Amino acid sequence: MANIADSTVTFFALDPAVLVAVRDQVRPAVPWSPAHVLSLEAAVPTGLDLDDWDHERAFAAWGTSRPEVDSELLEEHADRLVYRVGTAWSGPETVWATLSAQHPGLVVHSVSSDGSEFSSCGWYVAGRAVRWEEGEPDVQDDGDEEVRHPAEWAFSESVAREVLADSGPVS
C-alpha cells in the first residue's frame, strides 16, 4: 500500500469573502517552504506536537493520521481556490467536512488517491458529504504511473452550485 494520498481539493463559494476566510484559516503559521500554503493543523487545530503524536486523535480530527507532507495552491479564481495536498495514507476528508460546516456558503470538492488501493471523490457542504464515491485507482502504466480519475469526478461549477442550492439558505 502506498503511504501518501494525493488530493486535489477545490473550495468554491459565490461570496469571495468566504474564500478569503478559508485561505486565511488553512494557511500555516510557519510554512516550511514557499509552496506550503495549506496546513491541516491550521485548518482544524489539534494541538498535537510532532514529538508526542497521537495518530488516533489526528485521524478523528482530520481523516488522516499525520500532518500534510506537502501542499500547494494550484489555482485561484474569484469563486474558487484549488489546492493539491499530500497526506498520510488517506485524504483529509474530515477537514473538508469541518471547513464546509464552519463557512456557510462553502462547497468543498475533493478527489484523492493513494495510487494503489483507493480513489475517492467527495462533495461537502454544511458539514457533510452530500456526494461520495470511491473505487480502485486506475493507474496508467505509460511510464508516469499517473492515476486517472473518472471524468465525472472532475470539479464542475454547475454541480457546486447545485449542491450549494440543495443545502438550503446560507446563514
Side-chain angles (χ1 to χ4, degrees):
M1 176 177 180
N3 60 6
I4 299 297
D6 283 314
S7 301
T8 301
V9 61
T10 302
F11 298 112
F12 174 86
L14 298 173
D15 180 354
V18 171
L19 293 178
V20 168
V22 169
R23 185 180 54 229
D24 289 348
Q25 182 175 344
V26 304
R27 182 177 292 131
V30 180
W32 57 73
S33 76
H36 181 230
V37 295
L38 186 148
S39 162
L40 300 181
E41 181 65 26
V44 178
T46 63
L48 294 171
D49 184 314
L50 285 176
D51 294 328
D52 187 27
W53 198 255
D54 183 334
H55 295 275
E56 290 177 11
R57 193 166 133 205
F59 191 85
W62 297 338
T64 188
S65 61
R66 298 285 300 167
E68 70 288 343
V69 294
D70 58 10
S71 66
E72 65 180 312
L73 180 62
L74 301 175
E75 298 177 35
E76 185 171 2
H77 305 278
D79 63 354
R80 75 192 73 144
L81 301 168
V82 182
Y83 292 87
R84 190 193 61 73
V85 183
T87 53
W89 299 289
S90 56
E93 307 303 325
T94 307
V95 171
W96 311 148
T98 300
L99 288 169
S100 75
Q102 293 174 342
H103 299 278
L106 178 68
V107 175
V108 182
H109 170 261
S110 174
V111 176
S112 301
S113 179
D114 72 348
S116 66
E117 294 190 11
F118 87 92
S119 285
S120 64
C121 176
W123 292 85
Y124 303 86
V125 66
R128 61 189 179 87
V130 294
R131 295 184 183 188
W132 173 259
E133 205 174 329
E134 62 184 324
E136 291 184 24
D138 176 16
V139 180
Q140 300 298 314
D141 192 16
D142 57 3
D144 67 359
E145 295 186 16
E146 183 177 334
V147 175
R148 309 284 198 273
H149 299 290
E152 62 270 15
W153 284 14
F155 175 80
S156 163
E157 182 178 340
S158 63
V159 172
R161 288 175 178 270
E162 178 185 318
V163 298
L164 188 57
D166 289 350
S167 73
V170 176
S171 47

